[in-house]
Coordinates of all heavy atoms in Angstrom, one line a residue:
R12 N 32.6 41.8 51.1 CA 31.2 42.3 51.0 C 30.2 41.2 51.2 O 29.0 41.5 51.1 CB 31.1 42.9 49.6 CG 32.0 44.1 49.3 CD 31.7 45.3 50.2 NE 32.6 46.4 50.1 CZ 32.5 47.4 49.2 NH1 31.5 47.4 48.4 NH2 33.4 48.4 49.2
D13 N 30.7 40.0 51.5 CA 29.7 38.8 51.5 C 28.8 38.9 52.7 O 27.7 38.3 52.8 CB 30.5 37.5 51.6 CG 31.3 37.2 50.3 OD1 30.9 37.8 49.3 OD2 32.3 36.5 50.4
K14 N 29.1 39.6 53.8 CA 28.4 39.6 55.0 C 27.3 40.7 54.9 O 26.6 40.9 55.9 CB 29.3 39.9 56.2 CG 30.1 41.2 56.2 CD 31.0 41.2 57.4 CE 31.9 42.4 57.4 NZ 32.8 42.5 58.7
Y15 N 27.1 41.4 53.8 CA 26.1 42.4 53.7 C 25.0 42.1 52.7 O 25.3 41.4 51.7 CB 26.8 43.8 53.3 CG 27.9 44.1 54.2 CD1 29.2 44.0 53.7 CD2 27.7 44.6 55.5 CE1 30.3 44.4 54.5 CE2 28.8 45.0 56.3 CZ 30.0 44.9 55.8 OH 31.1 45.2 56.7
I16 N 23.9 42.6 52.8 CA 22.8 42.3 51.9 C 22.5 43.6 51.1 O 22.8 44.7 51.6 CB 21.5 41.8 52.6 CG1 21.0 42.8 53.6 CG2 21.7 40.5 53.3 CD1 19.5 42.5 54.2
G17 N 22.0 43.5 49.9 CA 21.6 44.6 49.1 C 22.5 44.9 48.0 O 23.7 44.5 48.0
S18 N 22.1 45.8 47.1 CA 22.9 46.2 45.9 C 24.0 47.2 46.2 O 23.9 48.0 47.2 CB 22.0 46.7 44.9 OG 21.5 48.0 45.2
E19 N 25.0 47.2 45.4 CA 26.1 48.2 45.4 C 25.6 49.6 45.4 O 26.0 50.5 46.1 CB 27.1 47.9 44.3 CG 28.4 48.8 44.4 CD 29.4 48.3 45.5 OE1 29.2 47.1 46.0 OE2 30.2 49.1 45.9
E20 N 24.6 49.8 44.4 CA 24.0 51.1 44.2 C 23.4 51.7 45.5 O 23.6 52.8 45.9 CB 23.0 51.1 43.1 CG 22.4 52.4 42.8 CD 21.2 52.3 41.8 OE1 20.9 51.1 41.4 OE2 20.6 53.3 41.5
N21 N 22.5 50.8 46.1 CA 21.8 51.2 47.4 C 22.8 51.5 48.5 O 22.6 52.5 49.3 CB 20.8 50.2 47.8 CG 19.6 50.3 46.9 OD1 19.4 51.2 46.2 ND2 18.8 49.2 47.0
W22 N 23.9 50.7 48.6 CA 24.9 50.9 49.7 C 25.5 52.2 49.4 O 25.8 53.0 50.4 CB 25.9 49.8 49.7 CG 25.4 48.7 50.6 CD1 24.7 47.6 50.3 CD2 25.7 48.6 52.0 NE1 24.5 46.8 51.5 CE2 25.1 47.4 52.5 CE3 26.3 49.5 53.0 CZ2 25.1 47.0 53.8 CZ3 26.4 49.0 54.3 CH2 25.7 47.9 54.8
E23 N 25.9 52.6 48.2 CA 26.6 53.8 48.0 C 25.7 55.0 48.3 O 26.2 56.0 48.8 CB 27.1 53.9 46.5 CG 28.2 52.9 46.2 CD 28.7 53.0 44.8 OE1 28.1 53.8 44.0 OE2 29.6 52.3 44.4
K24 N 24.4 55.0 47.9 CA 23.5 56.0 48.2 C 23.3 56.2 49.7 O 23.3 57.4 50.2 CB 22.1 55.7 47.6 CG 22.1 55.9 46.1 CD 20.6 55.9 45.5 CE 20.0 54.6 45.7 NZ 18.6 54.5 45.0
A25 N 23.2 55.1 50.5 CA 23.1 55.2 51.9 C 24.3 55.8 52.6 O 24.3 56.6 53.4 CB 22.8 53.8 52.5
E26 N 25.5 55.3 52.1 CA 26.7 55.8 52.8 C 27.0 57.3 52.5 O 27.4 58.0 53.4 CB 27.9 54.9 52.3 CG 27.9 53.5 52.8 CD 29.0 52.6 52.2 OE1 29.5 53.0 51.1 OE2 29.3 51.6 52.8
T27 N 26.7 57.7 51.3 CA 26.8 59.1 50.9 C 25.9 60.0 51.7 O 26.3 61.1 52.1 CB 26.5 59.3 49.4 OG1 27.5 58.5 48.6 CG2 26.7 60.7 48.9
A28 N 24.6 59.5 51.9 CA 23.7 60.3 52.7 C 24.2 60.6 54.1 O 24.0 61.7 54.6 CB 22.3 59.6 52.8
I29 N 24.8 59.6 54.8 CA 25.3 59.8 56.1 C 26.4 60.7 56.2 O 26.5 61.7 57.0 CB 25.7 58.4 56.7 CG1 24.4 57.5 56.9 CG2 26.5 58.6 58.1 CD1 24.7 56.1 57.5
I30 N 27.4 60.6 55.2 CA 28.6 61.4 55.2 C 28.1 62.9 55.0 O 28.6 63.8 55.6 CB 29.5 61.0 54.1 CG1 30.1 59.6 54.5 CG2 30.7 62.0 53.9 CD1 30.9 58.9 53.4
E31 N 27.2 63.1 54.0 CA 26.8 64.4 53.7 C 26.0 65.1 54.9 O 26.1 66.3 55.2 CB 25.9 64.5 52.4 CG 26.7 64.2 51.2 CD 25.8 64.2 50.0 OE1 24.6 64.3 50.1 OE2 26.3 64.1 48.9
A32 N 25.2 64.3 55.6 CA 24.4 64.8 56.8 C 25.5 65.2 57.9 O 25.2 66.4 58.5 CB 23.5 63.7 57.3
C33 N 26.5 64.5 58.1 CA 27.5 64.9 59.1 C 28.2 66.2 58.7 O 28.5 67.1 59.5 CB 28.5 63.8 59.3 SG 27.8 62.3 60.2
Q34 N 28.5 66.3 57.4 CA 29.2 67.5 56.9 C 28.3 68.7 57.1 O 28.7 69.8 57.5 CB 29.5 67.3 55.4 CG 30.7 66.3 55.2 CD 30.9 66.0 53.8 OE1 30.1 66.2 52.9 NE2 32.1 65.3 53.4
E35 N 27.0 68.5 56.8 CA 26.0 69.6 56.9 C 25.8 70.1 58.3 O 25.7 71.3 58.6 CB 24.7 69.2 56.3 CG 23.7 70.3 56.1 CD 22.6 70.0 55.2 OE1 22.8 69.3 54.2 OE2 21.5 70.4 55.4
K36 N 25.9 69.2 59.3 CA 25.8 69.5 60.7 C 27.1 70.0 61.3 O 27.2 70.4 62.5 CB 25.4 68.3 61.5 CG 23.9 68.1 61.5 CD 23.1 69.1 62.3 CE 21.6 68.9 62.4 NZ 21.0 70.0 63.1
G37 N 28.2 69.9 60.5 CA 29.6 70.3 61.1 C 30.0 69.3 62.2 O 30.8 69.6 63.0
L38 N 29.5 68.0 62.1 CA 29.9 67.0 63.1 C 31.1 66.3 62.6 O 31.2 65.7 61.5 CB 28.7 66.1 63.3 CG 29.0 64.9 64.2 CD1 29.1 65.4 65.6 CD2 27.8 63.9 64.1
K39 N 32.2 66.3 63.4 CA 33.4 65.6 63.1 C 33.2 64.1 63.4 O 33.0 63.8 64.6 CB 34.6 66.2 63.9 CG 34.9 67.6 63.4 CD 36.1 68.1 64.3 CE 36.5 69.6 63.8 NZ 37.7 70.1 64.6
A40 N 33.2 63.3 62.5 CA 32.9 61.9 62.7 C 34.0 61.1 62.0 O 34.4 61.4 60.8 CB 31.5 61.5 62.2
K41 N 34.6 60.1 62.7 CA 35.6 59.3 62.1 C 34.9 58.1 61.4 O 33.9 57.7 61.7 CB 36.6 58.7 63.1 CG 36.1 57.8 64.1 CD 37.3 57.3 65.0 CE 36.8 56.2 66.0 NZ 37.9 55.7 66.7
I42 N 35.6 57.7 60.3 CA 35.0 56.6 59.4 C 35.7 55.3 59.9 O 36.9 55.2 60.0 CB 35.2 56.9 58.0 CG1 34.4 58.1 57.6 CG2 34.8 55.7 57.1 CD1 34.5 58.5 56.1
E43 N 34.8 54.3 60.1 CA 35.3 53.0 60.4 C 34.7 52.0 59.4 O 33.5 51.9 59.3 CB 34.9 52.5 61.8 CG 35.6 53.3 63.0 CD 37.0 52.8 63.2 OE1 37.4 51.8 62.6 OE2 37.8 53.5 63.9
Y44 N 35.6 51.3 58.7 CA 35.2 50.3 57.7 C 35.0 49.0 58.3 O 35.7 48.6 59.3 CB 36.2 50.2 56.6 CG 36.3 51.5 55.7 CD1 37.2 52.5 56.0 CD2 35.4 51.7 54.7 CE1 37.3 53.6 55.3 CE2 35.4 52.9 53.9 CZ 36.4 53.8 54.2 OH 36.4 55.0 53.4
G45 N 33.9 48.3 57.9 CA 33.6 46.9 58.4 C 32.7 47.0 59.6 O 32.4 45.9 60.2
E46 N 32.3 48.1 60.1 CA 31.4 48.2 61.3 C 29.9 48.4 60.9 O 29.1 48.6 61.8 CB 31.9 49.4 62.1 CG 33.3 49.2 62.7 CD 33.3 47.9 63.7 OE1 32.4 47.8 64.4 OE2 34.3 47.2 63.6
A47 N 29.6 48.5 59.7 CA 28.2 48.7 59.3 C 27.3 47.5 59.7 O 27.9 46.4 59.9 CB 28.1 48.9 57.8
A48 N 26.0 47.8 59.9 CA 25.1 46.7 60.1 C 25.0 45.9 58.8 O 25.3 46.4 57.7 CB 23.7 47.2 60.5
F49 N 24.5 44.7 58.8 CA 24.5 43.8 57.6 C 23.5 44.4 56.5 O 23.7 44.1 55.3 CB 24.2 42.4 57.9 CG 22.7 42.1 58.3 CD1 21.9 41.6 57.3 CD2 22.2 42.3 59.5 CE1 20.5 41.4 57.6 CE2 20.9 41.9 59.9 CZ 20.1 41.5 58.9
Y50 N 22.5 45.2 57.0 CA 21.6 45.8 56.0 C 21.8 47.2 55.6 O 21.1 47.8 54.8 CB 20.2 45.6 56.6 CG 20.0 46.2 57.9 CD1 19.9 47.5 58.2 CD2 20.0 45.3 59.0 CE1 19.8 48.0 59.5 CE2 19.9 45.7 60.3 CZ 19.8 47.0 60.6 OH 19.7 47.5 61.9
G51 N 22.9 47.9 56.3 CA 23.0 49.3 55.9 C 24.1 49.9 56.8 O 24.5 49.5 57.9
P52 N 24.6 51.1 56.3 CA 25.7 51.9 57.1 C 25.0 52.6 58.2 O 23.7 52.7 58.2 CB 26.2 52.9 56.1 CG 25.1 53.0 55.1 CD 24.4 51.7 55.0
K53 N 25.7 53.1 59.2 CA 25.2 53.8 60.3 C 26.1 54.9 60.9 O 27.3 55.0 60.6 CB 24.8 52.8 61.4 CG 26.0 51.9 61.9 CD 25.6 50.9 62.8 CE 26.7 50.0 63.3 NZ 26.4 49.2 64.5
L54 N 25.5 55.8 61.6 CA 26.2 56.8 62.4 C 26.0 56.4 63.9 O 24.9 56.4 64.4 CB 25.6 58.2 62.1 CG 26.3 59.3 63.0 CD1 27.7 59.5 62.6 CD2 25.5 60.6 62.7
D55 N 27.2 56.1 64.6 CA 27.1 55.6 65.9 C 27.7 56.8 66.8 O 28.6 57.5 66.5 CB 27.9 54.4 66.2 CG 27.3 53.2 65.5 OD1 26.1 53.1 65.4 OD2 28.1 52.3 65.0
F56 N 27.1 56.9 68.0 CA 27.6 57.8 69.0 C 28.2 57.1 70.2 O 27.5 56.3 70.8 CB 26.4 58.8 69.5 CG 26.0 59.7 68.4 CD1 25.0 59.3 67.5 CD2 26.5 61.0 68.3 CE1 24.6 60.1 66.4 CE2 26.1 61.8 67.3 CZ 25.1 61.4 66.4

């Protein structure tokens, strides 16, 4: 976790928001760990 900035709480909220948005859209997205930007998680196409 050293290569990321920010609190554990904020990261968890951000990651949950992306996962829930994909579920709501019915978008099948695979999860890749270690590929987030240093300031936050992301959804890549």
Side-chain angles (χ1 to χ4, degrees):
R12 300 294 174 91
D13 294 340
K14 57 183 178 179
Y15 308 105
I16 61 174
S18 70
E19 186 75 19
E20 178 188 1
N21 283 344
W22 271 93
E23 287 180 1
K24 286 192 291 187
E26 291 175 340
T27 299
I29 293 178
I30 292 169
E31 288 181 354
C33 289
Q34 290 172 344
E35 194 164 319
K36 276 290 183 186
L38 178 67
K39 294 181 180 178
K41 68 175 183 176
I42 294 177
E43 289 287 347
Y44 292 95
E46 294 297 317
F49 74 94
Y50 49 77
K53 55 183 180 167
L54 176 63
D55 293 326
F56 291 85

